[in-house]
Structures are given as C-alpha cells and as structure tokens.
Amino acid sequence: MKKISELNLNLNLKLEKKEYKKQLKQLQYEMLNIQQFLYNNKIGLIIAFEGMDAAGKGGAIKRLTQRLDPRGYLVHPISAPQPHELRYHYLQRFWRKLPQHGQIGIFDRSWYGRVLVERLEGFASEQEWNRAYNEINSFEKTLTDEQYIMIKFWIHVDKDEQLNRFKARQTDPYKSWKLTDEDWRNRSKFDDYVMAADEMFEKTDSKNAPWVLIPGNNKNYARIKVLKETIKHVEAELKRRGLKITYQKEEKDVDSKSPASDLSGNIHDDVNNKEN
C-alpha cells in the first residue's frame, strides 16, 4: 500500500543541475513523440496532480508540457466550484474538461478535492466524501476502459521545505501571487492532509489509474521523475493495447527549433475547439 510515510527517507533525493538539463531535454523529446503517437491513434491522456501547497506541481507541469505542441493539450487549474457548478454532481465539472481522444488533459488539482480539502474543511459531509471513493474509481475505470490512459501524481514536500518556499514566495514579486491566506491555514492541517491522502491512496490506487508518489524537496528530481513515470506508464498502457511507440531520432539542433514547427502540422487546428 502506498503511503506518504514511505517517502520520508527519500524526500531529499537530489539531481544535479547539469544532469537535470541533460535528462530533461531527452525526456521532453520523448514526450513530444508520445503526444504525436497518441494523436495519431486517437488515445487520450489524463494526468492529475495533487500534493501539498508549494510542492512544485506547477513547475512539474511546465516541464512536462514545455516541448509539446500547444494545440494538443490543455492544463486545467482547479479551484473551488463556482455557484452554478454546485447545482450538479461534483464530477460534472470534470467530465466537461476531459480531453478529446488524441489529446492530453492535465489537471492541476482534481476531482480528489472531494476527499481532501472538501473533507477536511467540512464542504462535504462524511457520507458524501466516503461515497466519493467508489464514485471516483468508477469514473476513472469508465475512462480507462475506453480510449484513455490515466496517471495521478502526488508531489510531497516536508514541513520545513514547505515553509522555506512560502517565505521565498513572500519576497519574490514574480511568485507572491501564489501565496494566499488559505495556504497558511492549510499548513496548520499538514498532518490531517497526510492522513487523508494516505487513505485516498489506499482506496483509489489502481492498475488502470495508478497513484505515483513523488519526493518533492528537490525540484529538479521531482520534475524528472514526473516525466519518467508518465512515459513509463504510457508505454506500458500502449503495450497492453498491442501498440508500441517508435521514437524518432532526435535532431542535433532540436533546441534551436520550435517544438510545434517540428510536427509537420500533424495536430489539426480543430483541437482549438475545446472548452476552457
């Protein structure tokens, strides 16, 4: 069973900058090939990110998508539901944001808010969040039984590292907008979130939609680990479906090219007709 406590000894895993840059370039190129393969085979990819505040979810998503054709993916930042969304079942707003077959949908926070923040802040009753585990499992299986691949990441930092990042955000004019009063309130419930997350892993980790726990104290290590695990899972799922990716040979000057210009227009402009 996956637990955050299992990460305690590994939270300080590091990757030096030179090695980070080397691996990043290669892995991003592999992701670009994966994007094209999924498009050509009309298979959707859904990636959900959860984790502690300031754990590095946004940075990991940025590196994951940096070399992709921007026409073929969408990132959905998830916050509290709007008043009109509360008139529907809580999963309705996520159904509306699913990627088309052949596209990539990335969720910065996700439907797991039901068993995390909504549970701990009292926005969902005990009956509602207890029921949500089965609802979520059914939701995910419905998608992965069809033309979707799904993987879910929890990026974790310890209390000291989180506090350091909060303080850094306070003094950085380019990042101060990321820090809110809610972040400080959530910090006071750090242990409660760990408890809720561990129960979430126990009840919603599955072969078709696995949880991957990422040590996040070192940002470089976490970003590379997310890329590697995404590629590994996609390749395994394609193999299970009788498909295999053939990676194109990387050009020596790949860094000097625009990622989108290297795609020969394979992703049609109709991907822009998607809901934000």
Side-chain angles (χ1 to χ4, degrees):
M1 184 176 68
K2 295 172 181 175
K3 282 190 173 183
I4 290 174
S5 58
E6 296 173 358
L7 289 175
N8 286 347
L9 296 176
N10 297 320
L11 274 175
N12 293 313
L13 288 172
K14 294 182 179 180
L15 189 64
E16 296 303 323
K17 190 171 184 179
K18 183 176 180 180
E19 181 63 22
Y20 164 72
K21 288 185 175 181
K22 178 182 176 181
Q23 291 193 38
L24 182 66
K25 178 183 176 183
Q26 179 59 38
L27 292 169
Q28 287 180 332
Y29 192 74
E30 290 179 23
M31 272 303 303
L32 181 61
N33 276 274
I34 283 176
Q35 182 189 33
Q36 288 300 291
F37 188 90
L38 293 174
Y39 173 77
N40 291 328
N41 288 275
K42 297 296 179 279
I43 298 172
L45 174 60
I46 299 169
I47 307 174
F49 283 85
E50 294 285 354
M52 292 300 183
D53 294 325
K57 297 179 290 297
I61 291 170
K62 179 179 178 180
R63 275 67 182 187
L64 183 68
T65 61
Q66 200 164 25
R67 291 185 182 270
L68 299 183
D69 185 330
R71 298 168 296 174
Y73 73 87
L74 275 178
V75 177
H76 301 286
I78 301 300
S79 56
Q82 297 299 309
H84 72 276
E85 292 174 322
L86 294 173
R87 302 175 193 149
Y88 300 90
H89 188 277
Y90 72 96
L91 286 175
Q92 187 264 356
R93 64 181 179 137
F94 300 105
W95 277 105
R96 295 175 63 245
K97 292 178 172 64
L98 293 177
Q100 299 176 24
H101 294 159
Q103 296 176 15
I104 299 172
I106 299 171
F107 292 83
D108 185 352
R109 303 285 186 192
S110 69
W111 43 95
Y112 282 97
R114 189 68 158 186
V115 297
L116 292 170
V117 63
E118 291 184 31
R119 169 185 177 175
L120 295 177
E121 298 297 332
F123 298 131
S125 68
E126 184 174 356
Q127 182 184 29
E128 287 174 330
W129 62 256
N130 261 317
R131 187 177 66 232
Y133 297 116
N134 287 334
E135 294 171 339
I136 288 171
N137 286 333
S138 296
F139 166 68
E140 292 176 350
K141 191 172 188 304
T142 297
L143 295 172
T144 56
D145 279 353
E146 207 222 13
Q147 289 291 96
Y148 287 99
I149 294 172
M150 183 181 294
I151 187 170
K152 305 169 301 196
F153 290 105
W154 177 276
I155 304 181
H156 195 71
V157 293
D158 60 29
K159 292 179 181 179
D160 291 340
E161 180 62 22
Q162 185 188 61
L163 181 59
N164 290 337
R165 293 184 186 183
F166 277 15
K167 289 179 177 178
R169 287 180 176 185
Q170 279 184 316
T171 58
D172 186 340
Y174 292 102
K175 293 184 178 180
S176 60
W177 60 270
K178 293 184 175 184
L179 189 64
T180 66
D181 291 340
E182 185 178 351
D183 293 328
W184 289 107
R185 288 197 302 271
N186 289 344
R187 179 171 164 77
S188 69
K189 296 183 178 181
F190 193 100
D191 293 334
D192 294 332
Y193 274 95
V194 169
M195 175 273 297
D198 280 343
E199 185 173 0
M200 175 182 73
F201 305 142
E202 178 185 359
K203 295 183 176 180
T204 62
D205 183 43
S206 62
K207 189 174 182 180
N208 60 293
W211 277 105
V212 179
L213 279 57
I214 305 290
N217 274 15
N218 181 267
K219 293 180 180 181
N220 289 349
Y221 178 87
R223 292 164 181 172
I224 293 299
K225 186 68 171 173
V226 165
L227 275 159
K228 286 182 175 179
E229 291 292 337
T230 300
I231 293 167
K232 177 182 174 182
H233 183 64
V234 171
E235 288 178 339
E237 280 297 299
L238 292 175
K239 182 179 180 181
R240 184 179 64 82
R241 300 171 191 223
L243 298 170
K244 183 179 179 180
I245 299 176
T246 301
Y247 290 104
Q248 300 177 19
K249 186 177 180 181
E250 182 181 5
E251 297 291 341
K252 290 182 180 179
D253 62 343
V254 65
D255 270 341
S256 66
K257 296 184 188 179
S258 163
S261 70
D262 207 30
L263 300 180
S264 303
N266 284 338
I267 295 184
H268 194 268
D269 286 342
D270 64 2
V271 301
N272 288 320
N273 298 323
K274 297 178 295 184
E275 187 170 6
N276 290 326

